[in-house]
């Protein structure tokens, strides 16, 4: 039996905690963004002496402008996102929607699944105007947007289709486990989630990526031979160095590594190929191979498995506490796990946000290690340093982020930090 005053205290406690975390995130992020903007303005006349050669004056001015415009947009979209989240959480729309579904759907795994999909579909739609603005106003203004409205809309539809095809059965399986797998259902649910994560590492580059981009093997020639030689030298069997037509959507350049075992793949953006010399491309490839050889993929997977298991344990605990859903206006008679799942998923972002500096810290350590690997195996420090400089220039990267800002948000060390590390021991 629920003791009413006790329950009321719990409700208030839950609501106050949630509001504190949401407001804390909003205020903290606004603080960091403003701090960063001030730092960028302070250097607006000229970059630090160590970076004078990275960009010419005009490009540097443009990079300052780009950083500030993006920062103002981030301030706005953070407020927008938080107001939206608060409205969804506290307006009573979630219980209303759940009650409405209950009027024509029997309690079942499918009702819960449908409920989750409906909520996240509505949320995704409300984010579209901002995404559109970011691509067609902001990126466009600085010459990075290469997409068309048609391509953008098709991308969104494809993404939705994939999310539904993959997400719906996965959600249904989750709710099935909650109902039928006994008190340790969350361990099973975690196992399914982790197996799915591994599967996606393999399937993403094979099935999903080619649906959005054209991937072609690097053509025969001097460059290919040089890269294959490098791979052989460091003991990396590279059958597949692929070039992706990133230029179809954006002028930004990148390279990445995906998959594991015999499914591993290295993907270079066509934009990257245009911007870098052969020696620099070799260094970038060595960096990517470094991530593989140094075991960064299994390390990050282990970390994410630990966090995933903790998350499922937390969800299981919340599902056992009726006060959690009641605090957000659901009735005592909730007979499915959908509401708790939706609330947990909505709150996972703002609560998990506070862990992001830790994850970024590990990620940056891996970047340093991969840079060192590139230095050892691809012609010393210069090609890597030059590649990083060129990428910063072409992507109009912020050369002077505030240290607190970059420590919190950056998954890669700053250019200055990476150069110093490459030049050092
Ligand atoms: Zn890297």
């Amino acid at each position: 039996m629920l003791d009413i005053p006790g329950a009321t205290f719990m409700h208030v406690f839950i609501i106050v905690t949630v509001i504190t975390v949401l407001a804390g995130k909003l205020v903290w992020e606004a603080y960091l963004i403003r701090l960063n903007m001030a730092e960028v303005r302070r250097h607006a006349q000229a970059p630090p002496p160590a970076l004078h050669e990275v960009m010419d004056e005009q490009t540097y001015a443009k990079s300052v402008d780009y950083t500030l415009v993006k920062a103002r947009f981030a301030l706005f979209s953070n407020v927008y996102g938080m107001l939206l989240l608060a409205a969804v959480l506290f307006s009573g729309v979630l219980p209303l929607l759940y009650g409405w579904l209950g009027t024509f759907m029997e309690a079942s795994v499918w009702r819960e699944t449908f409920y989750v999909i409906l909520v996240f579909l509505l949320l995704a739609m409300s984010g579209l105007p901002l995404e559109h603005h970011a691509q067609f106003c902001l990126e466009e203004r600085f010459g990075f947007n290469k997409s068309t409205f048609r391509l953008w809309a098709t991308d969104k539809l494809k993404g939705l289709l994939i999310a539904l095809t993959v997400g719906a059965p996965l959600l249904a399986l989750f709710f099935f486990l909650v109902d039928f797998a006994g008190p340790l259902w969350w361990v099973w649910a975690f196992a399914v989630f982790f197996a799915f994560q591994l599967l996606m590492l393999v399937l993403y580059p094979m099935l999903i990526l080619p649906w959005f981009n054209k991937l072609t093997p690097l053509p025969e020639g001097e460059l290919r031979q040089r890269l294959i030689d490098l791979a052989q030298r460091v003991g990396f069997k590279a059958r597949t160095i692929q070039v992706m037509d990133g230029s179809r959507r954006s002028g930004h350049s990148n390279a990445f590594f995906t998959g594991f075992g015999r499914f591993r793949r290295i993907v270079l953006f066509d934009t990257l190929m245009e911007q870098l010399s052969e020696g620099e491309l070799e260094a970038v490839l060595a960096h990517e191979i470094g991530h593989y050889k140094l075991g960064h993929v299994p390390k990050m997977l282990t970390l994410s498995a630990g966090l995933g298991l903790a998350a499922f344990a937390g969800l299981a605990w919340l599902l056992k506490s009726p006060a959690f859903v009641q605090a957000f206006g659901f009735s005592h008679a909730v007979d499915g796990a959908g509401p708790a799942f939706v609330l947990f998923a909505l709150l996972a972002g703002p609560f998990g946000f506070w862990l992001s500096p830790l994850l970024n810290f590990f990620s940056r350590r891996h970047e340093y290690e991969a840079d060192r690997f590139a230095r050892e195996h691809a012609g010393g420090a210069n090609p890597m340093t030059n590649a990083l400089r060129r990428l910063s220039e072409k992507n109009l990267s912020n050369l002077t982020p505030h240290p607190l800002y970059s420590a919190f948000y950056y998954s890669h060390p700053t250019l200055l930090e990476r150069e110093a590390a490459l030049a050092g021991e």
Side-chain angles (χ1 to χ4, degrees), residues 18 47 49 52 71 88 98 102 115 132 142 149-151 153 177 199 216 304 312 316 326 337 348 361 364 390-391 395:
V18 166
H52 264 311
V88 168
Y98 194 63
Y115 177 59
H132 181 274
F142 291 89
F149 179 74
R150 202 191 154 91
L151 180 62
L177 289 172
L199 192 69
T216 39
S304 122
F312 277 102
Q326 284 163 17
F361 171 79
R364 287 195 301 264
R390 191 71 62 94
L391 289 177
N395 289 300

PDB file of all heavy atoms in Angstrom, residues 18 47 49 52 71 88 98 102 115 132 142 149-151 153 177 199 216 304 312 316 326 337 348 361 364 390-391 395:
ATOM      1  N   VAL A  18      14.710  16.451 -10.967  1.00  0.00           N
ATOM      2  CA  VAL A  18      14.705  16.567 -12.430  1.00  0.00           C
ATOM      3  C   VAL A  18      14.860  18.026 -12.859  1.00  0.00           C
ATOM      4  O   VAL A  18      15.682  18.346 -13.729  1.00  0.00           O
ATOM      5  CB  VAL A  18      13.412  15.944 -13.017  1.00  0.00           C
ATOM      6  CG1 VAL A  18      13.224  16.354 -14.463  1.00  0.00           C
ATOM      7  CG2 VAL A  18      13.472  14.428 -12.897  1.00  0.00           C
ATOM      8  N   PRO A  47      45.491  34.945 -34.166  1.00  0.00           N
ATOM      9  CA  PRO A  47      45.608  33.697 -33.390  1.00  0.00           C
ATOM     10  C   PRO A  47      46.894  33.704 -32.570  1.00  0.00           C
ATOM     11  O   PRO A  47      47.773  34.539 -32.797  1.00  0.00           O
ATOM     12  CB  PRO A  47      45.650  32.622 -34.467  1.00  0.00           C
ATOM     13  CG  PRO A  47      46.174  33.302 -35.689  1.00  0.00           C
ATOM     14  CD  PRO A  47      45.732  34.725 -35.604  1.00  0.00           C
ATOM     15  N   PRO A  49      50.634  33.019 -31.428  1.00  0.00           N
ATOM     16  CA  PRO A  49      51.803  32.971 -32.322  1.00  0.00           C
ATOM     17  C   PRO A  49      52.089  31.569 -32.864  1.00  0.00           C
ATOM     18  O   PRO A  49      52.452  31.425 -34.033  1.00  0.00           O
ATOM     19  CB  PRO A  49      52.940  33.441 -31.431  1.00  0.00           C
ATOM     20  CG  PRO A  49      52.297  34.225 -30.351  1.00  0.00           C
ATOM     21  CD  PRO A  49      50.929  33.682 -30.166  1.00  0.00           C
ATOM     22  N   HIS A  52      50.171  30.917 -36.128  1.00  0.00           N
ATOM     23  CA  HIS A  52      50.089  31.956 -37.157  1.00  0.00           C
ATOM     24  C   HIS A  52      50.032  31.410 -38.576  1.00  0.00           C
ATOM     25  O   HIS A  52      49.426  32.004 -39.453  1.00  0.00           O
ATOM     26  CB  HIS A  52      51.280  32.915 -37.025  1.00  0.00           C
ATOM     27  CG  HIS A  52      50.930  34.127 -36.225  1.00  0.00           C
ATOM     28  ND1 HIS A  52      49.796  34.866 -36.472  1.00  0.00           N
ATOM     29  CD2 HIS A  52      51.539  34.728 -35.173  1.00  0.00           C
ATOM     30  CE1 HIS A  52      49.723  35.869 -35.608  1.00  0.00           C
ATOM     31  NE2 HIS A  52      50.766  35.791 -34.788  1.00  0.00           N
ATOM     32  N   ALA A  71      28.013  29.300 -32.016  1.00  0.00           N
ATOM     33  CA  ALA A  71      27.812  29.405 -30.568  1.00  0.00           C
ATOM     34  C   ALA A  71      26.457  30.051 -30.250  1.00  0.00           C
ATOM     35  O   ALA A  71      25.728  29.574 -29.379  1.00  0.00           O
ATOM     36  CB  ALA A  71      28.942  30.212 -29.934  1.00  0.00           C
ATOM     37  N   VAL A  88       7.074  18.747 -22.528  1.00  0.00           N
ATOM     38  CA  VAL A  88       6.682  17.342 -22.701  1.00  0.00           C
ATOM     39  C   VAL A  88       6.576  16.652 -21.334  1.00  0.00           C
ATOM     40  O   VAL A  88       5.636  15.913 -21.056  1.00  0.00           O
ATOM     41  CB  VAL A  88       7.699  16.612 -23.598  1.00  0.00           C
ATOM     42  CG1 VAL A  88       7.475  15.107 -23.549  1.00  0.00           C
ATOM     43  CG2 VAL A  88       7.578  17.105 -25.036  1.00  0.00           C
ATOM     44  N   TYR A  98      -0.839   8.357 -23.515  1.00  0.00           N
ATOM     45  CA  TYR A  98      -0.872   6.948 -23.076  1.00  0.00           C
ATOM     46  C   TYR A  98      -2.317   6.505 -22.823  1.00  0.00           C
ATOM     47  O   TYR A  98      -2.720   5.409 -23.228  1.00  0.00           O
ATOM     48  CB  TYR A  98      -0.034   6.791 -21.808  1.00  0.00           C
ATOM     49  CG  TYR A  98       0.282   5.362 -21.451  1.00  0.00           C
ATOM     50  CD1 TYR A  98       1.045   4.573 -22.287  1.00  0.00           C
ATOM     51  CD2 TYR A  98      -0.205   4.810 -20.265  1.00  0.00           C
ATOM     52  CE1 TYR A  98       1.345   3.261 -21.968  1.00  0.00           C
ATOM     53  CE2 TYR A  98       0.086   3.499 -19.931  1.00  0.00           C
ATOM     54  CZ  TYR A  98       0.861   2.733 -20.782  1.00  0.00           C
ATOM     55  OH  TYR A  98       1.150   1.428 -20.450  1.00  0.00           O
ATOM     56  N   GLY A 102      -4.689   3.721 -24.778  1.00  0.00           N
ATOM     57  CA  GLY A 102      -5.382   2.693 -24.011  1.00  0.00           C
ATOM     58  C   GLY A 102      -6.846   2.559 -24.384  1.00  0.00           C
ATOM     59  O   GLY A 102      -7.464   1.518 -24.124  1.00  0.00           O
ATOM     60  N   TYR A 115       3.597   3.377 -28.254  1.00  0.00           N
ATOM     61  CA  TYR A 115       3.643   4.596 -27.439  1.00  0.00           C
ATOM     62  C   TYR A 115       5.029   5.248 -27.510  1.00  0.00           C
ATOM     63  O   TYR A 115       5.158   6.450 -27.771  1.00  0.00           O
ATOM     64  CB  TYR A 115       3.298   4.237 -25.992  1.00  0.00           C
ATOM     65  CG  TYR A 115       3.378   5.402 -25.032  1.00  0.00           C
ATOM     66  CD1 TYR A 115       2.594   6.538 -25.211  1.00  0.00           C
ATOM     67  CD2 TYR A 115       4.236   5.368 -23.928  1.00  0.00           C
ATOM     68  CE1 TYR A 115       2.664   7.601 -24.334  1.00  0.00           C
ATOM     69  CE2 TYR A 115       4.304   6.427 -23.044  1.00  0.00           C
ATOM     70  CZ  TYR A 115       3.520   7.536 -23.247  1.00  0.00           C
ATOM     71  OH  TYR A 115       3.596   8.589 -22.381  1.00  0.00           O
ATOM     72  N   HIS A 132      17.120  22.083 -40.075  1.00  0.00           N
ATOM     73  CA  HIS A 132      17.054  22.710 -41.393  1.00  0.00           C
ATOM     74  C   HIS A 132      17.825  24.029 -41.389  1.00  0.00           C
ATOM     75  O   HIS A 132      18.599  24.326 -42.290  1.00  0.00           O
ATOM     76  CB  HIS A 132      15.589  22.935 -41.786  1.00  0.00           C
ATOM     77  CG  HIS A 132      15.431  23.543 -43.138  1.00  0.00           C
ATOM     78  ND1 HIS A 132      15.464  24.905 -43.351  1.00  0.00           N
ATOM     79  CD2 HIS A 132      15.299  22.970 -44.354  1.00  0.00           C
ATOM     80  CE1 HIS A 132      15.336  25.136 -44.641  1.00  0.00           C
ATOM     81  NE2 HIS A 132      15.236  23.993 -45.288  1.00  0.00           N
ATOM     82  N   PHE A 142      28.620  29.743 -44.724  1.00  0.00           N
ATOM     83  CA  PHE A 142      30.071  29.602 -44.735  1.00  0.00           C
ATOM     84  C   PHE A 142      30.561  28.646 -45.824  1.00  0.00           C
ATOM     85  O   PHE A 142      31.704  28.194 -45.801  1.00  0.00           O
ATOM     86  CB  PHE A 142      30.551  29.164 -43.343  1.00  0.00           C
ATOM     87  CG  PHE A 142      30.369  30.247 -42.326  1.00  0.00           C
ATOM     88  CD1 PHE A 142      29.178  30.357 -41.619  1.00  0.00           C
ATOM     89  CD2 PHE A 142      31.355  31.202 -42.118  1.00  0.00           C
ATOM     90  CE1 PHE A 142      28.985  31.383 -40.700  1.00  0.00           C
ATOM     91  CE2 PHE A 142      31.174  32.223 -41.208  1.00  0.00           C
ATOM     92  CZ  PHE A 142      29.980  32.315 -40.500  1.00  0.00           C
ATOM     93  N   PHE A 149      17.483  20.695 -50.600  1.00  0.00           N
ATOM     94  CA  PHE A 149      16.367  20.399 -49.717  1.00  0.00           C
ATOM     95  C   PHE A 149      15.857  18.980 -49.973  1.00  0.00           C
ATOM     96  O   PHE A 149      15.542  18.236 -49.059  1.00  0.00           O
ATOM     97  CB  PHE A 149      15.223  21.394 -49.901  1.00  0.00           C
ATOM     98  CG  PHE A 149      14.055  21.084 -49.011  1.00  0.00           C
ATOM     99  CD1 PHE A 149      14.123  21.345 -47.650  1.00  0.00           C
ATOM    100  CD2 PHE A 149      12.918  20.462 -49.519  1.00  0.00           C
ATOM    101  CE1 PHE A 149      13.071  21.013 -46.807  1.00  0.00           C
ATOM    102  CE2 PHE A 149      11.867  20.125 -48.678  1.00  0.00           C
ATOM    103  CZ  PHE A 149      11.942  20.410 -47.323  1.00  0.00           C
ATOM    104  N   ARG A 150      15.804  18.627 -51.247  1.00  0.00           N
ATOM    105  CA  ARG A 150      15.326  17.304 -51.638  1.00  0.00           C
ATOM    106  C   ARG A 150      16.177  16.182 -51.014  1.00  0.00           C
ATOM    107  O   ARG A 150      15.651  15.233 -50.440  1.00  0.00           O
ATOM    108  CB  ARG A 150      15.384  17.227 -53.160  1.00  0.00           C
ATOM    109  CG  ARG A 150      14.498  16.208 -53.772  1.00  0.00           C
ATOM    110  CD  ARG A 150      14.865  16.073 -55.244  1.00  0.00           C
ATOM    111  NE  ARG A 150      14.496  14.754 -55.701  1.00  0.00           N
ATOM    112  CZ  ARG A 150      13.301  14.476 -56.232  1.00  0.00           C
ATOM    113  NH1 ARG A 150      12.417  15.424 -56.386  1.00  0.00           N
ATOM    114  NH2 ARG A 150      13.021  13.241 -56.612  1.00  0.00           N
ATOM    115  N   LEU A 151      17.488  16.328 -51.135  1.00  0.00           N
ATOM    116  CA  LEU A 151      18.401  15.324 -50.585  1.00  0.00           C
ATOM    117  C   LEU A 151      18.264  15.249 -49.065  1.00  0.00           C
ATOM    118  O   LEU A 151      18.223  14.172 -48.468  1.00  0.00           O
ATOM    119  CB  LEU A 151      19.850  15.657 -50.971  1.00  0.00           C
ATOM    120  CG  LEU A 151      20.937  14.709 -50.472  1.00  0.00           C
ATOM    121  CD1 LEU A 151      20.741  13.313 -51.023  1.00  0.00           C
ATOM    122  CD2 LEU A 151      22.322  15.231 -50.837  1.00  0.00           C
ATOM    123  N   ALA A 153      15.646  16.104 -47.216  1.00  0.00           N
ATOM    124  CA  ALA A 153      14.362  15.496 -46.840  1.00  0.00           C
ATOM    125  C   ALA A 153      14.402  13.985 -47.052  1.00  0.00           C
ATOM    126  O   ALA A 153      13.899  13.216 -46.217  1.00  0.00           O
ATOM    127  CB  ALA A 153      13.232  16.122 -47.646  1.00  0.00           C
ATOM    128  N   LEU A 177      10.782  -8.812 -22.715  1.00  0.00           N
ATOM    129  CA  LEU A 177      11.690  -9.246 -21.647  1.00  0.00           C
ATOM    130  C   LEU A 177      11.236  -8.717 -20.291  1.00  0.00           C
ATOM    131  O   LEU A 177      11.285  -9.427 -19.287  1.00  0.00           O
ATOM    132  CB  LEU A 177      13.122  -8.793 -21.951  1.00  0.00           C
ATOM    133  CG  LEU A 177      13.822  -9.513 -23.102  1.00  0.00           C
ATOM    134  CD1 LEU A 177      15.156  -8.843 -23.425  1.00  0.00           C
ATOM    135  CD2 LEU A 177      14.045 -10.985 -22.749  1.00  0.00           C
ATOM    136  N   LEU A 199      26.489  -5.842 -33.589  1.00  0.00           N
ATOM    137  CA  LEU A 199      25.946  -6.129 -34.919  1.00  0.00           C
ATOM    138  C   LEU A 199      25.943  -4.863 -35.778  1.00  0.00           C
ATOM    139  O   LEU A 199      26.304  -4.880 -36.957  1.00  0.00           O
ATOM    140  CB  LEU A 199      24.528  -6.679 -34.766  1.00  0.00           C
ATOM    141  CG  LEU A 199      23.905  -7.291 -36.011  1.00  0.00           C
ATOM    142  CD1 LEU A 199      24.623  -8.586 -36.365  1.00  0.00           C
ATOM    143  CD2 LEU A 199      22.415  -7.564 -35.787  1.00  0.00           C
ATOM    144  N   THR A 216      33.398   3.959 -52.809  1.00  0.00           N
ATOM    145  CA  THR A 216      34.145   3.294 -53.876  1.00  0.00           C
ATOM    146  C   THR A 216      35.530   2.950 -53.357  1.00  0.00           C
ATOM    147  O   THR A 216      36.105   3.705 -52.566  1.00  0.00           O
ATOM    148  CB  THR A 216      34.302   4.224 -55.096  1.00  0.00           C
ATOM    149  OG1 THR A 216      34.541   5.553 -54.625  1.00  0.00           O
ATOM    150  CG2 THR A 216      33.038   4.228 -55.944  1.00  0.00           C
ATOM    151  N   SER A 304      31.327   1.522 -22.880  1.00  0.00           N
ATOM    152  CA  SER A 304      29.917   1.722 -23.195  1.00  0.00           C
ATOM    153  C   SER A 304      29.075   0.577 -22.647  1.00  0.00           C
ATOM    154  O   SER A 304      27.926   0.774 -22.256  1.00  0.00           O
ATOM    155  CB  SER A 304      29.748   1.927 -24.704  1.00  0.00           C
ATOM    156  OG  SER A 304      28.892   0.992 -25.259  1.00  0.00           O
ATOM    157  N   PHE A 312      20.572   0.096 -17.615  1.00  0.00           N
ATOM    158  CA  PHE A 312      19.474  -0.873 -17.526  1.00  0.00           C
ATOM    159  C   PHE A 312      19.143  -1.196 -16.072  1.00  0.00           C
ATOM    160  O   PHE A 312      17.979  -1.373 -15.721  1.00  0.00           O
ATOM    161  CB  PHE A 312      19.809  -2.149 -18.303  1.00  0.00           C
ATOM    162  CG  PHE A 312      19.509  -2.024 -19.768  1.00  0.00           C
ATOM    163  CD1 PHE A 312      20.520  -1.807 -20.682  1.00  0.00           C
ATOM    164  CD2 PHE A 312      18.196  -2.099 -20.221  1.00  0.00           C
ATOM    165  CE1 PHE A 312      20.238  -1.673 -22.032  1.00  0.00           C
ATOM    166  CE2 PHE A 312      17.901  -1.975 -21.571  1.00  0.00           C
ATOM    167  CZ  PHE A 312      18.929  -1.760 -22.486  1.00  0.00           C
ATOM    168  N   ALA A 316      15.523  -0.621 -14.415  1.00  0.00           N
ATOM    169  CA  ALA A 316      14.817  -1.686 -13.686  1.00  0.00           C
ATOM    170  C   ALA A 316      14.378  -1.191 -12.315  1.00  0.00           C
ATOM    171  O   ALA A 316      13.259  -1.454 -11.857  1.00  0.00           O
ATOM    172  CB  ALA A 316      15.730  -2.898 -13.542  1.00  0.00           C
ATOM    173  N   GLN A 326       4.307   8.305 -11.499  1.00  0.00           N
ATOM    174  CA  GLN A 326       3.235   9.122 -10.906  1.00  0.00           C
ATOM    175  C   GLN A 326       3.658  10.580 -10.765  1.00  0.00           C
ATOM    176  O   GLN A 326       2.850  11.492 -10.925  1.00  0.00           O
ATOM    177  CB  GLN A 326       2.851   8.570  -9.533  1.00  0.00           C
ATOM    178  CG  GLN A 326       2.005   7.306  -9.624  1.00  0.00           C
ATOM    179  CD  GLN A 326       1.972   6.547  -8.308  1.00  0.00           C
ATOM    180  OE1 GLN A 326       2.305   7.095  -7.254  1.00  0.00           O
ATOM    181  NE2 GLN A 326       1.585   5.288  -8.376  1.00  0.00           N
ATOM    182  N   ALA A 337       5.200  -0.949 -19.209  1.00  0.00           N
ATOM    183  CA  ALA A 337       6.494  -0.336 -18.926  1.00  0.00           C
ATOM    184  C   ALA A 337       6.783   0.860 -19.834  1.00  0.00           C
ATOM    185  O   ALA A 337       7.803   1.523 -19.685  1.00  0.00           O
ATOM    186  CB  ALA A 337       7.593  -1.379 -19.063  1.00  0.00           C
ATOM    187  N   ALA A 348      17.577  10.492 -19.827  1.00  0.00           N
ATOM    188  CA  ALA A 348      18.920   9.930 -19.964  1.00  0.00           C
ATOM    189  C   ALA A 348      19.897  10.975 -20.510  1.00  0.00           C
ATOM    190  O   ALA A 348      21.047  11.043 -20.076  1.00  0.00           O
ATOM    191  CB  ALA A 348      18.886   8.701 -20.872  1.00  0.00           C
ATOM    192  N   PHE A 361      37.362  12.697 -22.165  1.00  0.00           N
ATOM    193  CA  PHE A 361      38.721  12.570 -21.648  1.00  0.00           C
ATOM    194  C   PHE A 361      39.381  11.301 -22.200  1.00  0.00           C
ATOM    195  O   PHE A 361      40.509  11.329 -22.689  1.00  0.00           O
ATOM    196  CB  PHE A 361      38.695  12.564 -20.114  1.00  0.00           C
ATOM    197  CG  PHE A 361      40.018  12.230 -19.494  1.00  0.00           C
ATOM    198  CD1 PHE A 361      41.017  13.193 -19.410  1.00  0.00           C
ATOM    199  CD2 PHE A 361      40.283  10.945 -19.031  1.00  0.00           C
ATOM    200  CE1 PHE A 361      42.254  12.885 -18.856  1.00  0.00           C
ATOM    201  CE2 PHE A 361      41.512  10.629 -18.479  1.00  0.00           C
ATOM    202  CZ  PHE A 361      42.503  11.603 -18.399  1.00  0.00           C
ATOM    203  N   ARG A 364      40.024  11.679 -25.962  1.00  0.00           N
ATOM    204  CA  ARG A 364      41.197  12.520 -26.271  1.00  0.00           C
ATOM    205  C   ARG A 364      42.501  11.761 -26.032  1.00  0.00           C
ATOM    206  O   ARG A 364      43.458  11.905 -26.779  1.00  0.00           O
ATOM    207  CB  ARG A 364      41.173  13.803 -25.418  1.00  0.00           C
ATOM    208  CG  ARG A 364      40.135  14.803 -25.860  1.00  0.00           C
ATOM    209  CD  ARG A 364      40.394  16.169 -25.240  1.00  0.00           C
ATOM    210  NE  ARG A 364      40.392  16.125 -23.786  1.00  0.00           N
ATOM    211  CZ  ARG A 364      39.330  16.417 -23.030  1.00  0.00           C
ATOM    212  NH1 ARG A 364      38.201  16.771 -23.594  1.00  0.00           N
ATOM    213  NH2 ARG A 364      39.406  16.360 -21.726  1.00  0.00           N
ATOM    214  N   ARG A 390      45.910  21.590 -42.009  1.00  0.00           N
ATOM    215  CA  ARG A 390      45.099  21.746 -43.207  1.00  0.00           C
ATOM    216  C   ARG A 390      43.620  21.504 -42.896  1.00  0.00           C
ATOM    217  O   ARG A 390      42.747  22.227 -43.347  1.00  0.00           O
ATOM    218  CB  ARG A 390      45.581  20.759 -44.280  1.00  0.00           C
ATOM    219  CG  ARG A 390      44.992  20.995 -45.651  1.00  0.00           C
ATOM    220  CD  ARG A 390      45.535  22.257 -46.292  1.00  0.00           C
ATOM    221  NE  ARG A 390      46.976  22.157 -46.483  1.00  0.00           N
ATOM    222  CZ  ARG A 390      47.549  21.741 -47.617  1.00  0.00           C
ATOM    223  NH1 ARG A 390      46.807  21.465 -48.645  1.00  0.00           N
ATOM    224  NH2 ARG A 390      48.851  21.662 -47.716  1.00  0.00           N
ATOM    225  N   LEU A 391      43.358  20.470 -42.081  1.00  0.00           N
ATOM    226  CA  LEU A 391      41.960  20.158 -41.739  1.00  0.00           C
ATOM    227  C   LEU A 391      41.337  21.287 -40.922  1.00  0.00           C
ATOM    228  O   LEU A 391      40.184  21.646 -41.132  1.00  0.00           O
ATOM    229  CB  LEU A 391      41.884  18.839 -40.963  1.00  0.00           C
ATOM    230  CG  LEU A 391      42.177  17.603 -41.813  1.00  0.00           C
ATOM    231  CD1 LEU A 391      42.146  16.349 -40.956  1.00  0.00           C
ATOM    232  CD2 LEU A 391      41.171  17.483 -42.954  1.00  0.00           C
ATOM    233  N   ASN A 395      38.152  23.285 -42.415  1.00  0.00           N
ATOM    234  CA  ASN A 395      36.896  23.166 -41.679  1.00  0.00           C
ATOM    235  C   ASN A 395      36.589  24.410 -40.834  1.00  0.00           C
ATOM    236  O   ASN A 395      35.623  24.422 -40.081  1.00  0.00           O
ATOM    237  CB  ASN A 395      36.937  21.934 -40.777  1.00  0.00           C
ATOM    238  CG  ASN A 395      36.865  20.651 -41.580  1.00  0.00           C
ATOM    239  OD1 ASN A 395      35.896  20.419 -42.302  1.00  0.00           O
ATOM    240  ND2 ASN A 395      37.890  19.819 -41.499  1.00  0.00           N
TER     241      ASN A 395
END
